[in-house]
Amino acid sequence: MTDLFTLDAEVRTELGKGASRRLRHANKVPAILYGEGKEPVSLTLAANKVWRAQQEEAFYSHVLTLNIDGEKVECLIKDMQRHPYKNVVMHMDFMRVDATHAVHTNVPVHFINEEAAAKKGGTIAHHINEIAVTCLPGDLPEFIEVDVADIEVGQTLHLSDVKLPKGVTSDELAKGEDHDQAVVTLNAPKGGNDEAAEEEATEE
């Protein structure tokens, strides 16, 4: 897995749509690296390595290492453009990170013990699948677990109910209590008397 988080890259000097098209025909992916007050750098990466790495969920919330002509640069993937129907990555944006500077990024949510919750007779509804967080690069989790084992029928868990790893804060909660988003609800069976809770979660 570690190899998936290290990608070799080359600085590219030919820019523009025509140059990018030629790169893709040569099984290369055009990319750009920016951030930390430094000038953006245009890059190319091997398409097969990129395609393999981007299939892993952790790739999107992990500090990556770009090996640029022998220089190692730590970064996060900030954007990726895919072809609408071909298995081709069209372009990537990387953002430099500094171990001493906090980063803002989205981390995927993993819901656990859903079988236990479902046995209570309700239907689980996910309201979000990732959480916007701020933390130092070294504290960045690959995912955040939300345990729904103890959720009751009609109950909604919010961001404030989610235990975040040490050093990690929620961007939404930092804005105030009115940004305490719904995360997951155990809806009552159709025809049940807990529809109010379900409607409340839907409105949020």
Side-chain angles (χ1 to χ4, degrees):
M1 179 72 74
T2 304
D3 290 340
L4 296 177
F5 301 142
T6 300
L7 296 171
D8 292 332
E10 298 175 352
V11 175
R12 63 185 169 106
T13 54
E14 281 192 87
L15 306 177
K17 291 183 178 179
S20 294
R21 193 178 302 114
R22 288 191 293 274
L23 285 172
R24 296 186 193 106
H25 287 160
N27 292 319
K28 301 282 187 178
V29 177
I32 189 166
L33 172 67
Y34 62 92
E36 287 298 318
K38 297 181 180 180
E39 288 293 321
V41 179
S42 297
L43 304 170
T44 60
L45 297 90
N48 60 336
K49 295 290 183 62
V50 168
W51 184 254
R52 174 68 187 90
Q54 62 87 39
Q55 295 179 65
E56 301 292 336
E57 179 188 55
F59 181 69
Y60 303 94
S61 58
H62 197 284
V63 176
L64 309 174
T65 299
L66 288 181
N67 185 10
I68 306 172
D69 297 335
E71 178 189 358
K72 296 186 181 300
V73 179
E74 292 193 332
C75 60
L76 291 172
I77 179 73
K78 295 305 292 182
D79 191 30
M80 180 184 295
Q81 298 172 19
R82 296 180 178 85
H83 194 279
Y85 57 87
K86 295 180 181 178
N87 291 335
V88 175
V89 175
M90 303 289 286
H91 191 275
M92 304 175 73
D93 288 3
F94 296 97
M95 183 182 71
R96 295 183 185 90
V97 299
D98 184 310
T100 62
H101 295 171
V103 296
H104 303 271
T105 191
N106 294 333
V107 175
V109 176
H110 287 186
F111 296 94
I112 61 173
N113 293 320
E114 291 191 329
E115 298 83 359
K119 287 180 180 178
K120 298 176 183 179
T123 302
I124 295 172
H126 301 157
H127 302 298
I128 61 175
N129 55 23
E130 58 184 17
I131 296 176
V133 302
T134 295
C135 63
L136 291 174
D139 294 329
L140 183 62
E142 292 185 5
F143 57 85
I144 294 171
E145 282 189 347
V146 176
D147 192 341
V148 297
D150 297 327
I151 194 172
E152 299 297 332
V153 174
Q155 181 184 359
T156 295
L157 298 182
H158 293 77
L159 283 175
S160 57
D161 299 313
V162 177
K163 185 177 180 180
L164 297 176
K166 184 178 179 180
V168 179
T169 60
S170 162
D171 289 357
E172 288 301 315
L173 288 181
K175 299 175 184 176
E177 293 183 3
D178 54 341
H179 288 267
D180 194 6
Q181 294 176 327
V183 175
V184 59
T185 298
L186 183 58
N187 289 327
K190 289 185 178 179
N193 56 8
D194 290 310
E195 293 179 356
E198 180 181 345
E199 291 176 1
E200 177 187 350
T202 302
E203 289 176 0
E204 294 182 29

